[in-house]
Amino acid sequence: MDWLSGIAPHWLWLALGLLLAAAEIVAPGVFLIWLGVAALVTGVVAWVLPIGVPMQVLAFAVLSVVAVYIGRNYVRANPIAEPDPMLNRRGARLVGEVGTAVVAFSGGEGRIRLGDSEWLARGPDCAPGDRVRVTGSDGAILLVERMSSP
């Protein structure tokens, strides 16, 4: 630990800031980056102003709270837009599609064929072969409405 005594504290703060920024890249969560910013600012302040280590720690603590608060508000105000919001919601992607009842719906439940697959469905009673349109989904069950009779 003797090698640490020869390093100026501002270099340690700058290194900590870079380490936290790198950790944010490895384990993304939009939290460590704000602590990294606080450490970098503390390092720059310690480099420019002759303040002691206890004041540096206090500055880091205050800057961390402020940076996390500002960062949280920024992320809430500017959410990251998903390129495909329905990527993992297959049932929602099928809304508007037309399928065919495979078995008679009784009690409002049955099976429909969409493309090359069959789905559990809920909707009005209908006979096999009736065409239905998907109006929504409830988990893995599609909600349908009858279009016409054969």
Side-chain angles (χ1 to χ4, degrees):
M1 295 295 287
D2 289 335
W3 61 274
L4 273 177
S5 63
I7 299 175
H10 64 271
W11 289 115
L12 295 176
W13 287 113
L14 294 172
L16 177 64
L18 294 176
L19 182 69
L20 287 168
E24 179 68 40
I25 293 170
V26 174
V30 193
F31 180 74
L32 294 176
I33 192 69
W34 308 118
L35 299 178
V37 167
L40 289 171
V41 171
T42 302
V44 170
V45 168
W47 194 353
V48 174
L49 301 174
I51 59 175
V53 174
M55 281 302 288
Q56 293 174 22
V57 172
L58 179 64
F60 174 71
V62 170
L63 287 170
S64 292
V65 171
V66 170
V68 168
Y69 178 76
I70 291 171
R72 190 182 97 207
N73 288 339
Y74 175 79
V75 170
R76 278 189 183 167
N78 303 301
I80 299 170
E82 297 180 44
D84 189 358
M86 289 193 249
L87 178 65
N88 293 319
R89 296 181 13 199
R90 187 161 182 211
R93 283 181 168 230
L94 296 174
V95 171
E97 296 287 324
V98 176
T100 307
V102 176
V103 296
F105 278 50
S106 73
E109 295 187 355
R111 294 184 69 81
I112 65 168
R113 176 172 293 282
L114 279 174
D116 62 351
S117 59
E118 289 187 10
W119 289 78
L120 292 174
R122 246 186 243 137
D125 289 348
C126 57
D130 284 354
R131 294 175 50 85
V132 294
R133 180 183 316 275
V134 178
T135 59
S137 65
D138 181 17
I141 300 174
L142 297 179
L143 307 176
V144 297
E145 63 185 8
R146 188 168 60 189
M147 291 182 57
S148 64
S149 297

